[in-house]
Amino acid sequence: PADGAQVVTATATDSSGNVSEAGTRTFTIDTVNQQPIIASIATDNVVNAAEKLANLTVTGQGEPGANVVVTLGGTSRNVAINQSGAWLVSFLPAEIPGDTLQTAVTVQSTDQASNISDMATQNVRIDTVAHATPVISTVAGDDVINATESVGTITVNGTAEAGAAVSVTWNGVTKNVTANTLGGWNATYTSAEQPSDGTSTITARATDTAGNVNAVDGTRSVTTLTTPPALPVINLVASDDRINIAERS
């Protein structure tokens, strides 16, 4: 018979031809164990430094009542699948492999009938290192913003890890930009967003594609000078602002 609940019945007939009532036995045929499912690990299958330090949780679905063996690196965890079909295990930071482009999490289950499932695999990338502090290039050519430059937009540019999200903050205004494939980025500030005269600091913070944030922000000090100098004073010419023939000669 196919998998499922089955009933066996039996009757006995004696030598006189008397027939007994039927005896029954209910049993289950179970020859299949469904392959477990692994949910996305660390949301995006990329483990960053913060996620590694917080212990890595791996979850998924499977046949209720079955036991699963979850393996990451050289460490395996055994856990029973609950009656809702869910399972969960955690790995300590020391049990998580070092940085790698790809490492496999494998899961295999054994159900209550001792059927062993096919192996399920989820590949993850482990990236726990933030790259170098982002660099802010010279602003306005000389890090000094004059009245003419201030009237227009000022472009702040620099470099960071390719693909990183860069938060640039100046005068309390933050611009969120993305570094291109070569690592270049730029953010523009309107006249209204720029600081008044004086010295100010621009900061840049980069978050890489794995979610690692630079430990130290990039900085650039700039000076804004938009107030013209005082009107120059011309002293008396020829002591009385009159030039006579002798003085002219």
Side-chain angles (χ1 to χ4, degrees):
D3 280 17
Q6 304 292 335
V7 177
V8 174
T9 62
T11 59
T13 303
D14 65 17
S15 58
S16 300
N18 300 306
V19 180
S20 71
E21 293 182 358
T24 62
R25 170 68 66 182
T26 300
F27 64 96
T28 300
I29 296 177
D30 182 354
T31 63
V32 176
N33 180 10
Q34 69 185 58
Q35 184 182 39
I37 297 170
I38 308 172
S40 293
I41 297 170
T43 306
D44 54 3
N45 293 323
V46 179
V47 180
N48 62 33
E51 291 164 337
K52 182 174 182 177
L53 288 174
N55 297 344
L56 184 63
T57 298
V58 181
T59 64
Q61 298 288 319
E63 182 178 321
N67 186 75
V68 293
V69 178
V70 185
T71 302
L72 171 61
T75 303
S76 294
R77 292 278 191 272
N78 295 279
V79 66
I81 302 174
N82 67 25
Q83 292 307 303
S84 298
W87 54 265
L88 178 152
V89 298
S90 292
F91 293 90
L92 299 173
E95 297 170 332
I96 301 169
D99 282 20
T100 177
L101 290 176
Q102 181 174 293
T103 190
V105 175
T106 62
V107 180
Q108 193 167 39
S109 69
T110 303
D111 68 12
Q112 293 173 315
S114 297
N115 299 304
I116 300 174
S117 73
D118 291 336
M119 186 83 72
T121 301
Q122 178 70 273
N123 290 319
V124 297
R125 174 164 63 96
I126 299 176
D127 181 350
T128 63
V129 178
H131 287 247
T133 298
V135 174
I136 304 172
S137 301
T138 302
V139 178
D142 55 3
D143 288 334
V144 177
I145 300 168
N146 61 31
T148 302
E149 293 165 333
S150 179
V151 169
T153 58
I154 295 293
T155 298
V156 179
N157 54 50
T159 57
E161 180 183 349
V166 183
S167 294
V168 186
T169 301
W170 187 25
N171 193 37
V173 179
T174 298
K175 306 281 186 170
N176 295 306
V177 297
T178 301
N180 63 27
T181 55
L182 297 177
W185 55 265
N186 65 77
T188 58
Y189 286 82
T190 66
S191 180
E193 294 170 329
Q194 298 167 34
S196 55
D197 282 15
T199 300
S200 58
T201 300
I202 302 172
T203 63
R205 176 174 298 177
T207 303
D208 68 16
T209 56
N212 299 302
V213 182
N214 288 110
V216 179
D217 293 344
T219 61
R220 169 71 66 176
S221 179
V222 296
T223 300
T224 303
L225 291 175
T226 61
T227 303
L231 186 69
V233 176
I234 304 173
N235 295 327
L236 290 173
V237 177
S239 67
D240 58 0
D241 286 338
R242 292 174 181 270
I243 300 174
N244 59 34
I245 191 167
E247 292 166 333
R248 184 174 181 178
S249 63

